[in-house]
Amino acid sequence: MYNRIAGYKQYYKSLVMLGVPIIIGQLGAIITGLADTIMVGQHSTEELAAASFVNNVINAFIIMGTGFSYNLTPLIGQNLAMNKKIVIGGWLKNSLVANMTTTLLLIAVLLGIYLNLDSLGQPEELLPLIRPYFAVSLVSILFVMLYNSFRQFVEGIANPSISMWVLLTGNLLNIIGNYILIYGKYGMPELGLLGAGISTFISRIIMLLLFIAVFMLRTDYKPYRKGFTHIRINKQSWRRLNSIGWPISLQQGLEAGTFCVTAIMVGWLGSLELAAHQIAITISTISFTIYLGLGAAVAIRTSYYKGANDWYMVRKITIAGLHLGLIVVCIVCTTLFMTQSGLGLIFTDNLHVNAIVKTLLPILMLYQIGDSAQIILANSLRGLRESDYVDLVSRLFHHSHTCRISIGIHVPLGYRRDLDGLPIRLLMLRMPAGIPGENAGKIASRLIRSSLTIDPGETNNRPDQGQHTSQP
């Protein structure tokens, strides 16, 4: 066993060297989300509840858009393996256009949601807080989608440290802006939740400008700039980017949609329950982001080795990614187990909210291994551009079963008023019976989905074990 694991050391190193900067950059965004949640929660519980609803809805569409932007990764990896840097510059240019058109569609859907907020059954006292924060967050999606193209570019050419520093800089500015605008420091008005939205909006503009500056000023990017300048925007490239991006976008959108629907359902229970849900989702997102960073590293490597037609290395990289994901699962679950009693108090001093959060953490721990496996395997397929059918079917399973189990447990035990007279030992607590219903759906579906994502096809085609492609 030890010898087999030792044989993967070089692959672990390869993924860690590429994945750690990606993870750090993504964790910067999560830390900003944590800071948002803590600052808003300390300002008022009602604003924390409003932020929970808006963030879950808006982030579902950002995740969907980010999935679309992944269309660039396999194209860059395959052209990089053939040293076609000018072609990569052209793909970046066309990616910006494709992302722009997709963004307009996402904004149109969100605008429809915004105009119908009154119909979603959220607590009346939260609507004045929800509306302005929703509007600012909606507009900022445009800048997220544009800087995603540059982010996929720098990570795809194996320069993830650039993405890391840009994201960390933008997120640090966001935290500073939050402090000033939420609490009204240094002569600025006290805007509360709206201040957090404005700060996020400004930071996203700054991150886009930083990516543009790096692309225009780095001397080693000259071949890419040449391709960006000389290769025209064309329908064929636009269609190819859409054909790659939309399956991934819809796959991620199905999963993100469950969080969006869940936020609406939890809002039916009340403000405190919605606040607890926001805290639990924020904690869960940290581990999800780490798995996503590992998955991105796997996708970059598999796309490169596919371009070099080295399927043996594709298989080794994927298995090494699964090993690293399992290590992260152990660390995450141990940390949550040791800190579960008081973790909610970091975000708010409301003891009832903390009690609800405590009931959710064991469920978060249970679905970590399924989450890790399905993200890494799906990203391996994404790098091979083979995720269109296998992963779409698995995500449809995830979405349908999560919703069924959520409604089956969440609604009858957590929302129906006619059940209030039943003995407390039967219902436990209304809220702990409600929100865990949503998470219980994820446990079963993610574990089965991770097995459905395994494709026994091409990755088993093992060529001679002589010389393999060197790593970029």
Side-chain angles (χ1 to χ4, degrees), residues 434-465:
I435 292 185
E438 172 262 328
N439 288 289
K442 291 186 177 67
I443 297 171
S445 62
R446 288 184 178 183
L447 287 172
I448 300 175
R449 181 174 156 226
S450 65
S451 65
L452 290 176
T453 314
I454 301 173
D455 184 357
E458 289 182 299
T459 55
N460 285 333
N461 297 335
R462 179 169 175 169
D464 65 279
Q465 298 186 29

Side-chain angles (χ1 to χ4, degrees), residues 241-264:
L241 287 163
N242 275 271
S243 68
I244 300 171
W246 273 113
I248 303 172
S249 178
L250 292 173
Q251 292 155 18
Q252 296 206 351
L254 285 172
E255 180 167 356
T258 64
F259 288 93
C260 179
V261 172
T262 298
I264 295 172

Side-chain angles (χ1 to χ4, degrees), residues 264-292:
I264 295 172
M265 292 168 67
V266 173
W268 299 342
L269 300 173
S271 299
L272 293 178
E273 291 82 0
L274 198 55
H277 177 69
Q278 172 63 15
I279 294 172
I281 290 297
T282 301
I283 295 168
S284 177
T285 304
I286 296 175
S287 60
F288 177 83
T289 299
I290 297 173
Y291 306 142
L292 205 59

Side-chain angles (χ1 to χ4, degrees), residues 421-444:
L422 292 180
I424 192 67
R425 70 177 66 182
L426 177 63
L427 279 184
M428 305 296 284
L429 296 171
R430 287 187 71 230
M431 187 55 207
I435 292 185
E438 172 262 328
N439 288 289
K442 291 186 177 67
I443 297 171

